[in-house]
């Protein structure tokens, strides 16, 4: 089982994918996928080489049909002639025969259990008896085993790649649209691999929903362990989007798993040039890898904590912190600008730490955190400004907590503080919110350990996690990736009542605060802006995906709280948009279909009119409501 408090890589079998080994004692491998037409040999070779030069260790290509699968031979030859030994992985959907062909020419083949034998899902309700279900499993085995035999003969690795968005109707009807269904979809194929003694297998479970993705992978790891399997895992948040949002969302999901030692190869799926994904993935892997060899954290897991399917920790609400409230954001006062000005009111920090001195301008309705020894010396008149002050105490000032009357107090704690010193204090003061900090090499382990220690002693005080970094404005992307990765597992564990990001550098405070809100949204804990669930595109995409994303973003930027899916094709489209309000899905060459939830509202719209039709659909629904 995973150790919550000690970082170590999960032990997995070693898989050979051409010249690259995955799992075992090998480093976490980084990969990407081409967006070019797989029939265009020259374009595919060039883009694959761009990926390789950026540091990609595997390159995946879509293979819609046998023609594309056969052209892998030419692409492979082109790369080898240029001196590259990087393995190629074919991506197959809907047609098992294509997988058979691809296995002849690629070092690896990815198949999707949701559509390998099962027909394309129609989101219909069909009840299967146990006998009927067993017959469907036999159909899978009859078709899958010949493919495994081809792979054995040609030393081809396979990836069993489950996507939340393309679960079969059979799985959905038996297990629901749940992590249990996602895992079972994978296990059906893995059991056949084990039965046939085929071990050259890598697994992936992906979703655009980071919570579903992390919980599904955690459940899969547990299920495999119970069934004596230790196949390596490929990680990714599918349809993550582009820019800062895509990077933060990917770092939350992938980081949460890497931090627990899970993951042997990763892809950061961005709606950008494939080579742009590589440095993002590399930074994530390198950053999490720094936990290796950390000082032992003697934490004790709470007996009621469920790592596989956690629920939010039960806390005593204090004003708007804890309980059923969304997690708050604390900001450090920007001394340069004086006030933390934001363009979007939804992105205004809930609390601003000001130290021992009031800013020149007091914001109407703003809540400020002030050092305890200056709390009573500062004077703010709430009747005129609506602003309020709340004291924050270091551990050394605990004896003074009872002397200050305030409806909300903050106490800075880190794991290792003698329990006898703080337990009685927190029990006596339910109005105290804990600010959890750590400077340890594995800060996740220490922050987890403190909260579990609190749970083991029956404390229900809310906990806000404070993370400190040192980045310049030029390192903004690194800051965002690291903060998202550090918060990922804590959010998935249900421990977060708030987030406070601090940076010792010239990074703009608004960028720091915006990152905190974006992390909470990526973790599905607090929605503050429109979310775009967009795929990275591939050879199946038959319209200008990136230009379309830019148009939709610009046209909907003032719409708060919507989820809009922008998909290149039908493979994951409707399914991955399960909780999106609207979907924009490629239907053919320069043709688009529009969805409301999973219902297709309008088919085959010419691309040049599709964004306009989408806006009309959103406006029409808005007027109805």
């Amino acid at each position: 089982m995973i150790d919550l408090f000690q970082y170590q890589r999960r032990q997995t079998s070693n898989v050979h994918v051409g010249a690259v080994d995955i799992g075992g004692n090998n480093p976490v491998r980084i990969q990407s996928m081409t967006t070019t037409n797989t029939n265009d040999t020259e374009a595919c070779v060039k883009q694959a080489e761009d990926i390789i030069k950026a540091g990609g260790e595997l390159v995946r290509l879509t293979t819609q049909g046998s023609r594309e699968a056969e052209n892998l031979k030419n692409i492979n030859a082109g790369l080898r002639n240029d001196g590259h030994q990087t393995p190629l992985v074919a991506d197959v959907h809907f047609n098992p025969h294509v997988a058979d062909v691809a296995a002849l020419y690629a070092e690896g083949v990815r198949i999707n259990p949701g559509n390998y034998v099962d027909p394309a899902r129609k989101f219909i309700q069909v009840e299967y008896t146990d006998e009927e279900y067993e017959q469907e499993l036999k159909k899978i085995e009859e078709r899958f085993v010949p493919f495994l035999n081809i792979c054995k003969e040609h030393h081809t690795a396979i990836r069993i790649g489950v996507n939340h968005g393309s679960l079969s109707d059979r799985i959905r009807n038996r297990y629901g649209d749940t992590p249990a269904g996602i895992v079972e979809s994978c296990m059906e194929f893995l059991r056949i691999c084990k039965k046939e003694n085929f071990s050259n297998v890598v697994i992936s479970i992906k979703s655009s929903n980071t919570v579903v993705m992390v919980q599904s992978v955690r459940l899969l790891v547990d299920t495999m362990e119970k069934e004596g399997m230790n196949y390596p895992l490929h990680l990714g948040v599918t349809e993550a989007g582009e820019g800062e949002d895509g990077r933060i969302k990917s770092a939350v999901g992938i980081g949460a798993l890497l931090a627990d030692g899970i993951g042997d190869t990763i892809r950061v799926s961005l709606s950008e040039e494939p080579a742009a994904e590589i440095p993002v993935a590399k930074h994530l892997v390198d950053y999490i890898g720094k936990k290796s060899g950390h000082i032992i954290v003697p934490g004790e897991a709470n007996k009621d904590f469920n790592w596989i399917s956690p629920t939010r920790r039960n806390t005593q609400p204090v004003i708007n912190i804890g309980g059923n409230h969304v997690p708050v954001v604390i900001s450090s006062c920007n001394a340069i600008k004086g006030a933390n000005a934001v363009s979007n009111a939804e992105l205004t920090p809930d609390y601003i730490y000001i130290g021992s001195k009031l800013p020149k301008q007091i914001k109407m309705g703003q809540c400020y955190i002030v050092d305890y020894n200056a709390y009573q010396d500062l004077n703010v008149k709430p009747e005129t400004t609506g602003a309020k002050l709340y004291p924050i105490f270091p551990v050394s000032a605990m004896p003074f907590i009872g002397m200050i009357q305030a409806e909300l107090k903050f106490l800075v704690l880190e794991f290792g503080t003698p329990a006898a010193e703080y337990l009685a204090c927190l029990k006596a003061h339910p109005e105290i919110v804990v600010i959890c900090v750590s400077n340890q090499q594995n800060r996740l382990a220490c922050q987890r350990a403190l909260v579990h220690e609190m749970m083991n002693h029956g404390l229900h005080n809310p906990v806000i996690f404070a993370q400190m970094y040192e980045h310049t404005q030029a390192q903004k992307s690194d800051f965002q990736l690291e903060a998202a990765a550090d918060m990922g597992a804590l959010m998935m564990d249900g421990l977060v009542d708030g987030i406070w990001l601090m940076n010792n550098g010239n990074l703009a405070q608004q960028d720091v605060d915006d990152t905190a809100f974006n992390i909470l949204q990526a973790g599905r804990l607090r929605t503050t802006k429109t979310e775009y669930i967009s795929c990275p595109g591939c050879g199946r995409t038959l319209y200008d995906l990136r230009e379309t994303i830019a148009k939709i973003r610009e046209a909907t930027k003032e719409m708060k709280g919507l989820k809009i899916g922008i998909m290149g094709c039908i493979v994951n489209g409707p399914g991955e948009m399960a909780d999106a309000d609207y979907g924009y899905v490629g239907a053919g060459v320069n043709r688009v279909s529009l969805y409301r939830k999973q219902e297709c509202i309008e088919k085959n719209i010419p691309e040049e009119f599709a964004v306009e039709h989408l806006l009309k659909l959103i406006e029409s629904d808005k007027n109805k409501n």
Side-chain angles (χ1 to χ4, degrees), residues 221-256:
V221 168
D222 182 70
T223 304
M224 283 200 297
E225 184 174 306
K226 289 176 179 175
E227 297 196 25
M229 302 176 185
N230 64 339
Y231 302 109
L233 281 160
H234 168 72
L235 304 182
V237 177
T238 192
E239 335 295 5
E242 61 171 355
E244 295 177 3
D245 292 347
R247 285 161 172 75
I248 290 172
K249 192 173 185 181
S250 294
V252 164
I254 296 172

Side-chain angles (χ1 to χ4, degrees), residues 7 31 44 60 107 128 285 325 330 338 347 370 416 448 491 518 557:
Y7 172 79
Q31 57 181 281
C44 288
R60 186 156 50 109
E107 285 76 23
Y128 289 87
V285 169
H325 297 290
I330 296 178
L347 300 179
V370 61
R448 267 178 168 165
M491 293 192 294
N518 290 340
K557 64 183 180 181

Side-chain angles (χ1 to χ4, degrees), residues 49-62:
E49 289 183 340
D50 289 343
I51 293 170
I52 294 165
K53 289 172 184 175
E57 298 171 280
L58 297 97
V59 176
R60 186 156 50 109
L61 304 93
T62 189

Side-chain angles (χ1 to χ4, degrees), residues 344 528-530 532 550-562 564 615:
N344 178 358
T528 48
K529 62 181 183 179
T530 298
Y532 301 94
K551 286 181 182 177
I552 293 175
R553 274 185 174 273
E554 179 61 27
T556 60
K557 64 183 180 181
E558 301 302 325
M559 300 178 185
K560 308 302 180 189
L562 282 181
I564 300 176
L615 295 177

Side-chain angles (χ1 to χ4, degrees), residues 190-243:
L190 283 183
R191 291 178 187 121
I192 298 171
C193 290
K194 185 176 181 180
K195 180 180 176 182
E196 296 297 315
N197 294 315
F198 186 89
S199 59
N200 221 27
V201 182
V202 178
I203 315 155
S204 67
I205 284 181
K206 295 187 179 183
S207 174
S208 64
N209 183 321
T210 55
V211 177
V212 172
M213 175 255 194
V214 171
Q215 289 191 3
S216 297
V217 173
R218 287 179 174 184
L219 177 60
L220 175 65
V221 168
D222 182 70
T223 304
M224 283 200 297
E225 184 174 306
K226 289 176 179 175
E227 297 196 25
M229 302 176 185
N230 64 339
Y231 302 109
L233 281 160
H234 168 72
L235 304 182
V237 177
T238 192
E239 335 295 5
E242 61 171 355

Side-chain angles (χ1 to χ4, degrees), residues 571-593:
V571 169
N572 294 318
E576 211 58 73
M577 299 184 307
D579 63 349
D581 300 291
Y582 299 97
Y584 184 107
V585 181
V589 179
N590 298 321
R591 294 278 166 168
V592 172
S593 294

